[in-house]
Amino acid sequence: MATTPPPAALMESVATTTTAVTSLHSVLQRVQHAAEKSGRKSDQVRVLAVSKTKPVYVINQVYQAGHRCFGENYVQEIVEKAPQLPDDIEWHFIGNLQSNKVKPLLGML
């Protein structure tokens, strides 16, 4: 019995997830190399994965790969995404913050 190929959207999501996890591993290797070259330990360097505009399933895959530090620069995205993801993620808000966005962001703490 022949199987039908997955829909294009599913194929795209698998490719995006694979790319995100592969990119994470590549960055972590480069950070480790740079840290060693400078005489530091790689665990003294914090890598912040910027999840701006990325869907929750991609962030979750990077989380499943072992990463815990994520950054967002849109309040609406962090407020929407954070409740859908594990509680032990360390969120960072990056970029400019408009005064009318402070209250929703503080509600995340």
Side-chain angles (χ1 to χ4, degrees):
M1 181 166 146
T3 60
T4 54
L10 179 57
M11 292 296 286
E12 183 179 331
S13 73
V14 169
T16 301
T17 300
T18 302
T19 301
V21 172
T22 301
S23 295
L24 171 68
H25 290 304
S26 174
V27 167
L28 292 176
Q29 285 178 338
R30 292 192 330 249
V31 165
Q32 182 177 2
H33 177 72
E36 289 170 359
K37 191 175 176 181
S38 70
R40 295 175 70 186
K41 294 180 181 179
S42 60
D43 63 356
Q44 294 176 312
V45 178
R46 181 176 301 173
V47 174
L48 184 66
V50 178
S51 52
K52 168 181 159 178
T53 73
K54 300 297 182 229
V56 170
Y57 72 86
V58 172
I59 300 167
N60 196 45
Q61 288 297 313
V62 172
Y63 174 88
Q64 294 300 324
H67 202 70
R68 297 296 182 267
C69 275
F70 293 87
E72 283 287 348
N73 69 335
Y74 296 117
V75 172
Q76 355 11 335
E77 285 197 38
I78 196 170
V79 168
E80 178 185 321
K81 292 174 185 178
Q84 298 178 58
L85 292 158
D87 290 338
D88 65 334
I89 287 180
E90 183 180 313
W91 288 103
H92 295 262
F93 186 76
I94 56 178
N96 296 324
L97 180 60
Q98 298 171 351
S99 59
N100 65 331
K101 303 289 184 172
V102 171
K103 191 173 182 178
L105 190 57
L106 289 176
M108 298 297 304
L109 300 177

